[in-house]
């Protein structure tokens, strides 16, 4: 060890990080366009000897390839492999499930990830909380008008689409609390937009209470939601406001990730 108390290994760290940063800058540069050695060196300001070593190493490991005719460098096919690997980890359940599982454990209630699918609510993921005969009977598909998530999706409908949805005999009336008319939903829509939370207050089944919040990507609100479901008495005993706050907080964290990766739904 030297007089300064630093090992030789730690003294090399700044240079090592500097080399990594230069390598990453070369990869970023070539992700935008093909370029010759002189062009890369000029635009990035990397010393010629350093750039030569970086390009040699990247080419040896197939991260880049050189066109021997034009004498230019471009990204290599290995990035296709890495891209597919990352793509598989950015599907919606992969991003969401750990958060939902954690919330379900914390509050002891069923937590779901749902999407809009052919004018119904489709549960993609569900994590069970405390035992309940009510939640055990829940189906993976739910009507829009009497589910917390479904009512969020209805807020995205145009006025004409809403009128059509509630026209004729109207949607199914599961309980006396179910919203089945256009006029009833307009008032509900206002409450959902103002609060940022949609609530199913015994509208799907008596004794059952659900709350749902929307997810966002870089384009805005998505047809995807996070929800909590459980017996009404138990949820209010645990603290409905606290559960809603936790649900909103998790949705904000997940939405931030979806915005960052520019997630586009494929369901």
């Amino acid at each position: 060890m030297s007089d300064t108390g630093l090992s030789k290994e730690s003294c090399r760290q700044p240079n090592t990080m500097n080399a990594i940063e230069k390598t990453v800058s070369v990869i970023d540069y070539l992700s935008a366009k093909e370029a010759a050695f002189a062009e890369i060196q000029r635009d990035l300001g990397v010393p010629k000897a350093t750039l030569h070593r970086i390009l040699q190493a990247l080419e040896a490991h197939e991260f880049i390839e050189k066109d021997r005719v034009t004498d230019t460098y471009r990204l290599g096919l290995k990035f296709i492999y890495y891209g597919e690997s990352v793509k598989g980890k950015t599907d919606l359940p992969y991003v969401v499930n750990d958060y939902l599982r954690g919330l379900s454990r914390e509050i002891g209630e069923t937590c779901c990830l749902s999407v809009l699918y052919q004018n119904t609510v489709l549960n993609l993921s569900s994590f069970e909380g405390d035992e309940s005969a009510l939640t055990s009977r829940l189906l993976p598909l739910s009507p829009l008008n009497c589910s917390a998530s479904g009512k969020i999706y209805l807020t995205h409908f145009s006025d004409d689409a809403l009128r059509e949805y509630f026209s004729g005999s109207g949607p199914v009336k599961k309980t006396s609390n179910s919203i089945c008319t256009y006029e009833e939903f307009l008032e509900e829509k206002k409450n959902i937009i103002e609060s940022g939370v949609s609530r199913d207050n015994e509208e799907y089944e008596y004794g059952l209470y659900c709350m749902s919040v929307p997810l966002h990507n870089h384009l805005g609100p998505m047809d995807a939601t996070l929800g909590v479901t459980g017996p009404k008495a138990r949820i209010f005993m645990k603290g409905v406001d606290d559960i809603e706050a936790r649900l909103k907080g998790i949705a904000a964290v997940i939405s931030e990730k979806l915005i960052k990766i520019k997630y586009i739904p494929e369901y």
Side-chain angles (χ1 to χ4, degrees):
M1 185 172 291
S2 66
D3 293 340
T4 61
L6 297 175
S7 67
K8 292 180 179 179
E9 185 64 30
S10 63
C11 287
R12 285 198 297 267
Q13 280 185 341
N15 289 334
T16 301
M17 291 306 298
N18 198 19
I20 292 172
E21 289 168 359
K22 286 184 172 68
T23 302
V24 171
S25 70
V26 171
I27 293 173
D28 284 343
Y29 184 88
L30 292 177
S31 70
K33 64 175 182 177
E34 296 183 20
F37 183 96
E39 188 179 4
I40 300 170
Q41 198 274 325
R42 181 197 68 211
D43 290 347
L44 296 183
V46 179
K48 291 183 179 180
T50 302
L51 181 59
H52 182 70
R53 289 195 299 270
I54 289 172
L55 293 175
Q56 271 193 326
L58 289 174
E59 189 175 8
H61 291 281
E62 300 180 350
F63 287 107
I64 65 171
E65 55 189 30
K66 186 176 183 180
D67 188 320
R68 305 301 172 184
V69 176
T70 61
D71 208 31
T72 57
Y73 293 91
R74 57 177 175 254
L75 292 187
L77 297 178
K78 181 169 280 190
F79 279 103
I80 295 177
Y81 167 78
Y82 287 127
E84 287 301 312
S85 177
V86 171
K87 182 180 177 182
K89 295 177 180 179
T90 56
D91 69 296
L92 198 53
Y94 186 93
V95 175
V96 169
N97 282 355
D98 282 348
Y99 293 98
L100 270 188
R101 187 183 293 109
L103 180 62
S104 180
R105 288 173 180 168
E106 286 177 18
I107 65 176
E109 299 298 344
T110 299
C111 296
C112 301
L113 164 67
S114 303
V115 296
L116 175 64
Y117 179 73
Q118 296 182 352
N119 265 10
T120 59
V121 177
L122 170 64
N123 281 346
L124 291 184
S125 303
S126 182
F127 298 93
E128 302 301 321
D130 298 337
E131 287 188 17
S132 167
L134 291 172
T135 54
S136 67
R137 293 199 300 267
L138 290 176
L139 299 176
L141 293 174
S142 305
L144 298 182
N145 65 302
C146 55
S147 60
S149 293
K151 290 188 290 183
I152 288 180
Y153 306 142
L154 285 175
T155 66
H156 302 168
F157 280 29
S158 68
D159 191 65
D160 287 343
L162 270 182
R163 289 180 182 276
E164 182 178 353
Y165 178 80
F166 286 103
S167 65
S169 59
V172 61
K173 191 173 184 68
K174 300 280 285 184
T175 75
S176 61
N177 294 338
S178 301
I179 293 175
C180 294
T181 68
Y182 168 79
E183 291 74 19
E184 285 177 319
F185 181 73
L186 287 186
E187 187 62 32
E188 184 75 357
K189 178 179 178 180
K190 180 181 176 183
N191 294 332
I192 292 170
I193 292 173
E194 287 179 354
S195 67
V197 181
S198 177
R199 304 169 183 92
D200 162 12
N201 188 7
E202 298 183 291
E203 296 163 47
Y204 181 84
E205 185 167 344
Y206 291 114
L208 195 66
Y209 190 91
C210 310
M211 59 194 79
S212 187
V213 296
L215 292 176
H216 296 73
N217 63 4
H218 60 293
L219 301 176
M222 295 168 51
D223 285 329
T225 57
L226 303 183
V228 173
T229 301
K232 182 176 179 179
R234 193 169 72 194
I235 284 183
F236 274 78
M237 179 189 69
K238 291 178 178 180
V240 64
D241 292 339
D242 178 60
I243 294 174
E244 283 188 2
R246 293 191 195 190
L247 187 60
K248 280 184 172 182
I250 286 176
V253 171
I254 294 172
S255 293
E256 187 177 346
K257 281 194 171 187
L258 297 176
I259 291 167
K260 187 174 181 180
I261 65 177
K262 296 187 176 180
Y263 171 80
I264 300 294
E266 297 181 357
Y267 43 80

